[in-house]
Amino acid sequence: MNDALHIGGKALSSRLFIGTGKYSRNTLIPEVIARSGSEVITVALRRVDPASQEENILSHIPPQMTLLPNTSGARTAEEAVRIARLARAAGMGNWVKIEVINDQRYLLPDNLETIRATEILAAEGFVVLPYMSPDLSAALRLRDAGAAAVMPLGAPIGSNRGLRTKELIGILIEEAGLPVIVDAGIGRPSEAAEAMEMGAAAVLLNTAIATARDPLGMAEAFRGAVAAGRQAYLAGLGPVQQEAEASSPLTGFLNV
Amino acid sequence: MKLYINGNETELDEACATLADLLSRPEWKERRMIVELNGMIVGRDDFGTVLLADGDRIELVHFVGGG
């Protein structure tokens, strides 16, 4: 079955996007990539510290991966645009995860600035994947601005709290008219499966794998969960009802 | 010559005439970086020809782990 996810001119067979932050050691990353089956991976852009011999994260990412640089640290559309242009100058592709945040406690995205940044960067030919609060009118504006997908949060970044915004994400999936990738908050494979069962196009997660006791085992668990959820969505979930409906015949009982 | 590298004021001798001269110094060489000079991105091919001037603001950035 060909069930590729088409984004930015690429056909992706994996619907699990992963991040590269918070690993106890970066040498885990190639194995996490292999065990997760992921094809898209996020990175951040930061000033080089001359006092640290911290290696460039790219040395741990196989070249066939699609790099999704984020604009973390941006507080305005202009800052996000600047970061995106710098990332593209690295020559590693033109995908960008727009992340504009002004709330330091919950790291909730600023949808208005995110829409402005999307307009500018999509016009410059970027494949724009905006991290956003799951608001339908914002999603529609992002679509009109040229976003390749929208990436609503399930719960605050790094919280592992799951699909707290489930109802709103469901509305985006129904109404937004572009792929919905659940980004942030997913902590368990069952939550990733649930997002996929709902019809999410993909999920993006980092903390859930990176902070697991065994990141490699967890990467594989998420791979299975995302695939199972997607298959369930395509198969069509059975109807839900309040009262029982016998699965066995109600005639021919032996004790009558 | 006074430069601002990643926000830090840095005094450099005049031997650092071009961006390539600066980036060949021990603290910067052997790194894969993206370079911005006074708000403009400078491509790798231009490092040898871009002249530095007193007061220039240089950003040297690279990719790190992130979600």
Side-chain angles (χ1 to χ4, degrees), chain A residues 137-162:
Chain A
S137 61
L140 295 172
R141 288 179 194 276
L142 288 165
R143 183 192 67 189
D144 293 345
V150 288
M151 302 207 296
L153 62 106
I157 291 171
S159 68
N160 283 348
R161 292 182 67 214

Side-chain angles (χ1 to χ4, degrees), chain A residues 20-21 42-48 50 52-53 56-57 70 82 85-86 97 206, chain B residues 6-7 27-28 31-36 41 59-67:
Chain A
T20 53
T42 60
V43 292
L45 197 72
R46 290 290 182 275
R47 284 172 165 171
V48 179
S52 144
Q53 269 311 316
N56 191 311
I57 197 79
N70 68 37
R82 180 185 179 203
R85 288 173 180 160
L86 281 165
K97 167 181 166 176
N206 183 352
Chain B
N6 287 351
E27 64 266 41
W28 301 116
R31 292 178 186 266
R32 292 161 73 183
M33 300 184 295
I34 308 157
V35 179
E36 192 188 71
I41 295 167
E59 292 286 338
L60 304 173
V61 300
H62 66 169
F63 289 122
V64 299

Side-chain angles (χ1 to χ4, degrees), chain A residues 229-244:
Chain A
R230 177 64 183 175
Q231 195 171 3
Y233 170 73
L234 294 174
L237 297 167
V240 175
Q241 56 189 31
Q242 189 63 31
E243 297 185 9

Side-chain angles (χ1 to χ4, degrees), chain A residues 34-108:
Chain A
R35 296 277 286 274
S36 67
S38 293
E39 297 166 299
V40 177
I41 195 160
T42 60
V43 292
L45 197 72
R46 290 290 182 275
R47 284 172 165 171
V48 179
D49 175 5
S52 144
Q53 269 311 316
E54 180 197 27
E55 60 220 312
N56 191 311
I57 197 79
L58 296 185
S59 57
H60 299 290
I61 300 177
Q64 77 275 11
M65 297 294 288
T66 294
L67 209 63
L68 180 57
N70 68 37
T71 66
S72 62
R75 292 156 299 176
T76 64
E78 285 70 25
E79 289 175 2
V81 166
R82 180 185 179 203
I83 295 167
R85 288 173 180 160
L86 281 165
R88 183 161 69 174
M92 305 295 293
N94 61 347
W95 288 38
V96 64
K97 167 181 166 176
I98 296 184
E99 194 177 329
V100 183
I101 290 174
N102 284 295
D103 158 39
Q104 291 315 307
R105 184 168 184 196
Y106 291 103
L107 299 178
L108 293 178

